Amino acid sequence: MSNELRLGSEKRLRIFTGRGYPELAEEVAAELGVTITPTSAYDFANGEIFVRFEESVRGCDAFVIQSHCEPVNKQIMEQLIMVDALKRASAKRITVIAPFYAYARQDKKHRGREPISARLMADLFKTAGADRLMTVDLHSSQIQGFFDGPVDHLFALPLLANYVGSKVDRKRLTVVSPDSGRVRVAERWSDILGGTQIAFIHKTRDSRVPNEAITGRVVGEVEGQTCVVIDDMIDTGGTIAKAVDALYNAGAKDVIVAATHPVFSGPAAERLMNSKVSEVVVANTLPIPEENRFPNLTVLSIAPLIARAIKEVFEDGSVTSLFDGHS
Ligand code: R5P
C-alpha cells in the first residue's frame, strides 16, 4: 500500500485526517487501498492548533476527513487549518469530508437576533479553500445550498434500513418519525422496507431551552407493532427516550431506534440504557467512547459508503445513486 493512488499519470488521490476520529479515516483509506498522508498536528499551550503535512501534496486530489465530534469547535478549526495548508501547498482540489456536520441544527433563524451557524460553517470551509463538501445525513437537506460549490450529501438510510429489515417481521413493522419534520424520511424507510406503516410523534419544543423536547401524542396505529424510531442524530437522547415511552404507552409491542449520528452527549447513554428500547442502531459517523457504549447498541460502518463516494468523485463517476438514498 502507498500513500498515493495513481490513475493514469495525472490524477493522485490523497486522504488526510484530523485528530478528531482518525479510526474512521483509516477505515475509509483501507477500503480505497491507500494509506493516510502523514500529518503532524499539535496544540500550542494556549490551545492554538498547528498542522503540517509530511509529504508533498502539490497537484493532488485531497480528501480531508474530520468528523465534528467533541470538542466540536476544535475539530472544525483543525479541519479549516488543514484545508488552508493544502491550499497553500498547491493541492489541486480539496474536498472537505465531515461525516457529521456540526451546527446543522442551526439552519434557520427561529427568532430574531439568532445566527444561521450552518451557513457560517459552509462559508468558513469555502473561505479556507474547500472546493467540495461531502457529508452524511445533514439535519436538513437545504444546507447543501449553503456551500458555494458541489456537495455530496450521502445517506445512511439504506445501511440502517437494510439492517433493521433483516431483523424484524416487516409485516408488523411501523416506521416512526419522532417529529412531523421527518415524515418524508419515514416514507423513504417505508419504501425501502417494502411499504410498511408509518406513524409520527407530535412533538413540540421550547426553542429557548436547548435539547429539551416535549413529546406529545403518537399519530398513527402502533398497537401490537414493532416500531422503528428514526432520527438523524441522538444528542442527549431526550427526543428518543420520550418517543420510546410514548410508543409503549400507545401499545407498541417492541421499539427499535435507528439514528445516523451518535452524538451521545451528557445523559444520552444512561437515558437509552434506562429506556425500554430493545436495540439502538447507529452509524459510526462519530466516535463512541467506551463509557457511552451499552449492550443493545449496534454500530454500523459508514466507511464503505464514504469510500465509494470518494472513488466516484475522484474518477469523475456518478454519485447520484449515493445521493438519493437508494444505493
Ligand atoms: C431534532 O430536530 C433532531 O432531529 C434530533 O431529534 C435532536 O437533535 C436530538 O436531540 P436530543 O437527543 O438531545 O433530544
Side-chain angles (χ1 to χ4, degrees):
M1 284 223 282
S2 88
N3 294 330
E4 208 164 75
L5 185 67
R6 282 179 184 269
L7 189 71
S9 57
E10 293 300 314
K11 287 186 146 187
R12 292 175 298 138
L13 180 158
R14 276 182 180 268
I15 303 287
F16 301 84
T17 182
R19 289 171 292 169
Y21 186 17
E23 296 84 357
L24 176 61
E26 298 281 359
E27 249 193 88
V28 171
E31 290 276 339
L32 288 163
V34 290
T35 48
I36 294 189
T37 297
T39 305
S40 299
Y42 56 82
D43 299 340
F44 289 102
N46 68 350
E48 290 172 5
I49 296 165
F50 174 83
V51 168
R52 181 175 185 269
F53 307 115
E54 299 299 339
E55 293 174 0
S56 169
V57 298
R58 184 176 298 278
C60 75
D61 198 355
F63 294 84
V64 187
I65 304 177
Q66 178 91 306
S67 211
H68 301 156
C69 53
E70 275 192 68
V72 174
N73 298 329
K74 180 178 172 183
Q75 316 304 0
I76 295 166
M77 193 64 200
E78 185 171 85
Q79 197 171 24
L80 288 166
I81 288 172
M82 292 176 79
V83 171
D84 182 76
L86 282 164
K87 179 181 69 179
R88 292 176 195 285
S90 304
K92 195 171 192 173
R93 177 172 63 175
I94 304 166
T95 301
V96 159
I97 303 182
F100 172 71
Y101 181 98
Y103 290 103
R105 283 173 289 185
Q106 290 175 37
D107 60 350
K108 61 172 103 53
K109 287 173 71 165
H110 295 276
R111 295 176 301 155
R113 302 185 297 280
E114 288 186 354
I116 302 180
S117 310
R119 168 65 198 247
L120 174 64
M121 286 272 291
D123 288 345
L124 287 170
F125 284 120
K126 186 71 191 175
T127 302
D131 298 297
R132 192 173 186 108
L133 181 65
M134 186 181 290
T135 186
V136 182
D137 283 351
L138 284 165
H139 178 64
S140 58
S141 289
Q142 58 266 31
I143 294 170
Q144 289 170 80
F146 292 177
F147 182 74
D148 185 12
V151 175
D152 304 307
H153 185 197
L154 310 179
F155 292 90
L157 190 152
L159 178 73
L160 299 171
N162 289 331
Y163 173 82
V164 170
S166 71
K167 297 202 76 177
V168 297
D169 174 4
R170 297 183 188 200
K171 291 194 205 80
R172 306 300 305 272
L173 184 67
T174 298
V175 178
V176 182
S177 167
D179 54 41
S180 54
R182 210 154 284 281
V183 171
R184 291 285 298 278
V185 183
E187 283 170 356
R188 298 232 306 276
W189 268 79
S190 172
D191 284 350
I192 285 193
L193 295 172
T196 64
Q197 289 193 57
I198 290 173
F200 75 95
I201 294 179
H202 187 253
K203 181 174 88 168
T204 48
R205 188 187 275 286
D206 184 343
S207 62
R208 290 162 302 184
V209 186
N211 292 111
E212 191 56 40
I214 303 153
T215 296
R217 64 197 170 90
V218 177
V219 180
E221 191 45 67
V222 298
E223 177 99 41
Q225 291 287 100
T226 294
C227 294
V228 54
V229 186
I230 54 148
D231 212 346
D232 59 330
M233 69 183 84
I234 301 174
D235 189 354
T236 64
T239 302
I240 289 299
K242 285 176 181 168
V244 171
D245 283 350
L247 288 166
Y248 278 117
N249 289 340
K253 187 174 108 225
D254 190 19
V255 182
I256 298 169
V257 168
T260 306
H261 307 295
V263 182
F264 287 1
S265 315
E270 203 182 329
R271 273 180 176 163
L272 294 169
M273 252 187 302
N274 293 338
S275 81
K276 290 198 306 179
V277 65
S278 63
E279 185 170 0
V280 177
V281 188
V282 295
N284 63 343
T285 55
L286 289 161
I288 306 175
E290 208 46 53
E291 64 272 19
N292 280 346
R293 291 181 180 258
F294 45 93
N296 53 352
L297 174 69
T298 300
V299 184
L300 305 177
S301 180
I302 200 75
L305 179 67
I306 294 175
R308 261 177 70 197
I310 290 174
K311 195 163 178 293
E312 293 296 338
V313 169
F314 176 58
E315 293 178 345
D316 298 324
S318 166
V319 267
T320 306
S321 60
L322 306 177
F323 290 167
D324 64 12
H326 300 278
S327 59

